[in-house]
Amino acid sequence: MVAAESRGRAGENYLLPGNHLSIPDLAAVAEDVSSVANPRWTIPMGLARFWSPLGDVFGRRSNSPLWYTSESLDALEHSPAVSGKKTLEELGHSLRPANETVGDIYRWFNDNGYLD
């Protein structure tokens, strides 16, 4: 935001893309930074979609954390590839390695007591 304010052109929009990882690849990164083994099997998208309306209702009524929601499945299934070329050229934005970002997220959750 600071770079956009100081170097960006008035009226322009700048997208900040991230690393696009498959769920298995992201799980492998999470396992690496946390030393917690990731699940060795996954639910096929069709089955996850079938059960997601029930999961939405159950999670909201029970006040338990949701494993996934219909909205999160939409994001996983339809996340578009975003080009950061303009942001790199005009603002100097570059991507951090995914393992650094996931590691920082893990440490923040751990430091704030969410992983007890």
Side-chain angles (χ1 to χ4, degrees):
M1 291 177 13
V2 171
E5 195 279 323
S6 63
R7 293 185 294 233
R9 293 180 287 138
E12 288 296 314
N13 296 310
Y14 297 94
L15 299 175
L16 301 175
N19 297 294
H20 187 77
L21 299 174
S22 68
I23 295 300
D25 290 343
L26 180 59
V29 170
E31 180 178 47
D32 184 51
V33 301
S34 69
S35 300
V36 175
N38 65 10
R40 297 298 172 207
W41 58 274
T42 58
I43 298 171
M45 184 61 78
L47 185 59
R49 281 245 178 252
F50 178 78
W51 288 109
S52 65
L54 293 173
D56 291 346
V57 171
F58 176 76
R60 288 186 180 99
R61 287 191 179 165
S62 68
N63 292 324
S64 68
L66 299 175
W67 286 11
Y68 64 88
T69 64
S70 299
E71 293 83 6
S72 66
L73 293 177
D74 286 340
L76 289 173
E77 199 169 27
H78 303 293
S79 62
V82 175
S83 171
K85 181 179 178 186
K86 179 173 135 181
T87 306
L88 172 64
E89 290 173 353
E90 295 185 21
L91 306 180
H93 176 267
S94 60
L95 294 177
R96 286 179 9 155
N99 63 328
E100 287 181 21
T101 301
V102 174
D104 285 348
I105 292 168
Y106 175 79
R107 280 185 288 285
W108 185 90
F109 274 90
N110 192 48
D111 293 347
N112 288 280
Y114 290 102
L115 301 178
D116 293 335

